[in-house]
Amino acid sequence: MKKIILLTVLVLALPLEALDTYKAKFGSKLRLDGDSSVHKWKAESRLVGGSFSVDTVALSKPGLVEAKAEVKIPVRQIKSGKKKMDEIMHGEKCFDAKKFPLIVFVLDELEVKKARGNLSACQARGHITIHGVKKPLDMAITIARAGSKLTVKGVQTLKMSDFKITPPSPQLPSGKIVTKDEVKITFEWVTGK
């Protein structure tokens, strides 16, 4: 009798729908686009880590989806292709990569707004930590399913000052560059089982 009760408790404790777990894969990318008093600028990273657990069956129809994710971007992997700009960006007065080596996004809620074929338009709600400052983040994303891969894409604009980062203003021989506060973030996060 005890075995039957124990078995019943275990079966009831199991989730009805299992989450599929995906890990970050090669092919992911992140791009930052900004502007300054001199020129527009960009910086990119090909290293976007983390994991994503989601009920993939539920991605095919509108509604809340059981999901959790943690995305990690190493600050030193974000590069502009210009040594001096990277030094300023990674330095103490900007990202301060020594003290805050990672940008981290944690997913709290995922809602499918539209689904067609293997593509789902979703709203992701969570929080992002940049430069040691944690802020809520609500953004539109798409999730494409292909075999054992999920690719998450999105675009979001953030302000450096919201994360206690003073937009860099380096002094050059020709004068001071004033960097604008807003940065557009475009990402493609490739994950696989």
Side-chain angles (χ1 to χ4, degrees), residues 25 27-33 41-49 71-80 89 95 102-105 128 130 137 139 152-156 158 183-190:
K25 297 289 182 195
S28 299
K29 55 189 169 186
L30 171 93
R31 178 175 160 151
L32 308 179
D33 286 286
W41 59 269
K42 71 175 181 177
E44 297 177 311
S45 174
R46 295 275 179 187
L47 186 58
V48 182
V71 183
K72 296 178 180 182
I73 299 126
V75 170
R76 288 210 181 273
Q77 293 299 315
I78 302 172
K79 297 181 180 175
S80 66
M89 183 171 52
F95 275 121
L102 294 173
I103 294 170
V104 180
F105 173 76
I128 190 165
I130 301 173
L137 184 61
M139 62 182 162
V152 182
K153 293 182 182 180
V155 177
Q156 184 71 30
L158 298 175
V183 177
K184 183 172 94 171
I185 301 166
T186 308
F187 62 88
E188 183 173 331
W189 188 40
V190 180

Side-chain angles (χ1 to χ4, degrees), residues 52 107 110 120-124 139-143 152-155 187:
F52 186 23
L107 179 70
L110 182 65
S120 303
C122 304
Q123 199 65 28
M139 62 182 162
I141 61 170
T142 61
I143 301 174
V152 182
K153 293 182 182 180
V155 177
F187 62 88

Side-chain angles (χ1 to χ4, degrees), residues 70 100 102 104-108 126-137 162-164:
E70 185 175 56
F100 307 107
L102 294 173
V104 180
F105 173 76
V106 175
L107 179 70
D108 295 325
H127 54 275
I128 190 165
T129 304
I130 301 173
H131 194 243
V133 178
K134 183 177 169 180
K135 293 275 186 184
L137 184 61
D162 287 345
F163 298 91
K164 297 184 181 177

